Amino acid sequence: IMSILAKIAEIENEMARTQRNKATAHHLGLLKARLAKLRRELITPKGGSGGGTGEGFDVAKTGDARVGFVGFPSVGKSTLLSNLAGVYSEVAAYEFTTLTTVPGVIRYKGAKIQLLDLPGIIEGAKDGKGRGRQVIAVARTCNLILIVLDVLKPLLHKRLIEHELEGFGIRLNKQPPNIGFKKKDKGGINFTATCAQSELDGDTVKTILSEYKIHNADITLRSDATADDLIDVVEGNRVYIPCIYVLNKIDQISIEELDVIYKVPHCVPISAHHRWNFDDLLEKMWDYLKLVRIYTKPKGQLPDYTSPVVLPDQHTAVEDFCLKIHKNLIKELKYALVWGSSVKHNPQKVGKDHVMEDEDVIQLVKK
């Protein structure tokens, strides 16, 4: 792997040396594309079986949502996890303690939320050092990432961790770039921009695409995009995950400092050890997970409010609900009765395409 790492270092150095201006934008775009390709090779090595995956690292996905905890060693991740979930992941006071993932499950507002400690995403994990690679594979499947920071040395850590996750194709608190990209068989590069571009022009786009050996495609930029955005779209293996920064150890700072921290976006200050402010953290987690709870109602009985069926925000149609319970259920469905904010009448007869909202009640009527 060293040769790839050397290449990456070389390109990063060249990028650091290059001044950023209109004249060099083209060249920088090319370097960024090369870098992205090399990084992808690191994550998914070419040919051969990629070696066995690390033990303890293909975690079964249970529950309705999965939350990954990332942080440097000794910032209090394990303490936070064990206090949140009552999971006991072995806590020691030296660096590099957690090596396998111990999933804990908490119930919050009726939803089962799986908490995962993602150990050792640290400097160099994306270069295959540490247990990096498997951890990343798991991190990419999370619905939410919590970056646990030590309130006394937060910024450096935050930057390093974000840089690591970005290197794995994980984009935090971002929307996918608004770029239309369609490969074709012939016709060259057809480039249109629907608004002013500060960084990309036709030539730069062509250079980046030719680096990927793409010579025929339609590219539409619908927002002011950067070279990185374009590369993300072409690579196509990016995941967009919401993220909360958890600032731990607030028992060690003053009230004035705490007031400042409260104003930072996506941030929750806590003390894992004293269990301060957990409710705030859970509430924010719930907000960012965007889960929808659907209660079931057997015929002639009251709705069961204790165990909702929990669906992700985008997939809340009656059909998704049926699939979540059993894949054959949809074939037997005649119609459904729904009570709640998504319907005009209570109850209302709906088909499989009806989209439900949080805390709706449903009764299925079979054929």
Side-chain angles (χ1 to χ4, degrees):
I1 281 191
M2 200 46 225
S3 58
I4 300 185
L5 288 183
K7 283 181 199 160
I8 287 183
E10 203 174 289
I11 292 178
E12 279 179 339
N13 287 338
E14 189 176 345
M15 281 171 70
R17 284 199 308 269
T18 311
Q19 286 185 342
R20 285 165 191 263
N21 56 41
K22 280 218 168 89
T24 59
H26 186 84
H27 181 60
L28 279 169
L30 178 67
L31 292 177
K32 280 177 180 168
R34 285 197 185 142
L35 199 58
K37 279 172 66 183
L38 288 168
R39 290 243 168 94
R40 186 184 54 197
E41 265 177 54
L42 270 181
I43 304 174
T44 52
K46 279 184 184 154
S49 60
T53 53
E55 312 76 73
F57 240 97
D58 353 340
V59 186
K61 192 160 186 177
T62 55
D64 302 305
R66 176 181 253 191
V67 179
F69 285 70
V70 183
F72 272 75
S74 337
V75 290
K77 272 193 310 186
S78 304
T79 315
L80 173 59
L81 265 169
S82 47
N83 283 347
L84 268 178
V87 170
Y88 197 71
S89 154
E90 198 154 312
V91 180
Y94 51 88
E95 309 245 310
F96 288 123
T97 38
T98 331
L99 277 176
T100 50
T101 317
V102 182
V105 177
I106 56 174
R107 283 197 82 111
Y108 188 66
K109 297 195 178 181
K112 283 201 189 84
I113 299 172
Q114 185 182 32
L115 305 178
L116 284 185
D117 187 349
L118 301 173
I121 295 191
I122 29 130
E123 268 295 62
K126 71 171 181 294
D127 307 333
K129 291 201 205 77
R131 285 285 290 298
R133 215 175 265 164
Q134 295 95 359
V135 182
I136 296 317
V138 176
R140 286 175 60 104
T141 64
C142 292
N143 306 96
L144 169 66
I145 288 182
L146 294 193
I147 294 185
V148 187
L149 302 167
D150 186 330
V151 78
L152 300 173
K153 40 184 177 185
L155 284 174
L156 177 69
H157 279 185
K158 172 174 181 276
R159 251 182 243 123
L160 287 173
I161 291 172
E162 284 174 330
H163 184 71
E164 284 300 314
L165 293 171
E166 293 266 309
F168 296 122
I170 292 174
R171 300 283 174 266
L172 302 174
N173 290 333
K174 273 192 196 154
Q175 292 303 316
N178 198 348
I179 298 178
F181 170 63
K182 201 162 135 205
K183 284 191 209 177
K184 299 178 302 192
D185 295 339
K186 54 180 191 290
I189 301 287
N190 183 7
F191 169 75
T192 41
T194 57
C195 56
Q197 296 295 322
S198 56
E199 189 176 320
L200 293 175
D201 55 18
D203 289 343
T204 312
V205 169
K206 275 184 185 143
T207 315
I208 292 177
L209 290 175
S210 67
E211 182 63 34
Y212 282 99
K213 302 196 172 54
I214 295 171
H215 302 294
N216 301 297
D218 291 333
I219 292 277
T220 317
L221 304 179
R222 303 193 191 89
S223 59
D224 185 2
T226 62
D228 290 321
D229 291 339
L230 178 62
I231 291 168
D232 281 352
V233 171
V234 177
E235 283 271 352
N237 59 355
R238 304 296 189 235
V239 284
Y240 295 85
I241 304 179
C243 165
I244 297 174
Y245 302 103
V246 182
L247 288 171
N248 188 16
K249 309 194 183 175
I250 54 172
D251 47 311
Q252 301 177 11
I253 59 170
S254 66
I255 299 288
E256 293 78 39
E257 289 172 295
L258 197 52
D259 285 342
V260 174
I261 291 173
Y262 252 106
K263 299 192 175 80
V264 182
H266 309 303
C267 244
V268 183
I270 60 152
S271 164
H273 184 255
H274 298 284
R275 307 190 180 198
W276 294 345
N277 212 14
F278 277 13
D279 38 2
D280 235 12
L281 176 61
L282 286 166
E283 193 49 51
K284 199 165 191 114
M285 276 164 60
W286 182 259
D287 281 353
Y288 280 51
L289 283 169
K290 292 195 164 70
L291 297 173
V292 171
R293 290 159 293 173
I294 306 293
Y295 300 114
T296 52
K297 177 187 177 318
K299 194 172 177 184
Q301 293 172 25
L302 287 170
D304 175 6
Y305 287 117
T306 53
S307 46
V309 173
V310 179
L311 301 170
D313 185 38
Q314 283 85 28
H315 304 285
T316 60
V318 174
E319 185 169 8
D320 299 310
F321 171 85
C322 293
L323 285 172
K324 171 100 187 197
I325 295 174
H326 196 280
K327 58 180 184 291
N328 293 337
L329 190 56
I330 192 75
K331 295 173 190 150
E332 304 170 4
L333 179 74
K334 190 169 169 191
Y335 61 87
L337 293 171
V338 173
W339 291 255
S341 56
S342 69
V343 289
K344 289 198 178 75
H345 314 292
N346 278 325
Q348 184 170 323
K349 252 189 189 185
V350 297
K352 68 177 170 59
D353 296 328
H354 174 74
V355 175
M356 295 179 287
E357 290 173 13
D358 193 26
E359 304 213 74
D360 280 2
V361 173
I362 187 172
Q363 177 185 331
L364 299 179
V365 179
K366 293 185 180 176
K367 288 174 180 153

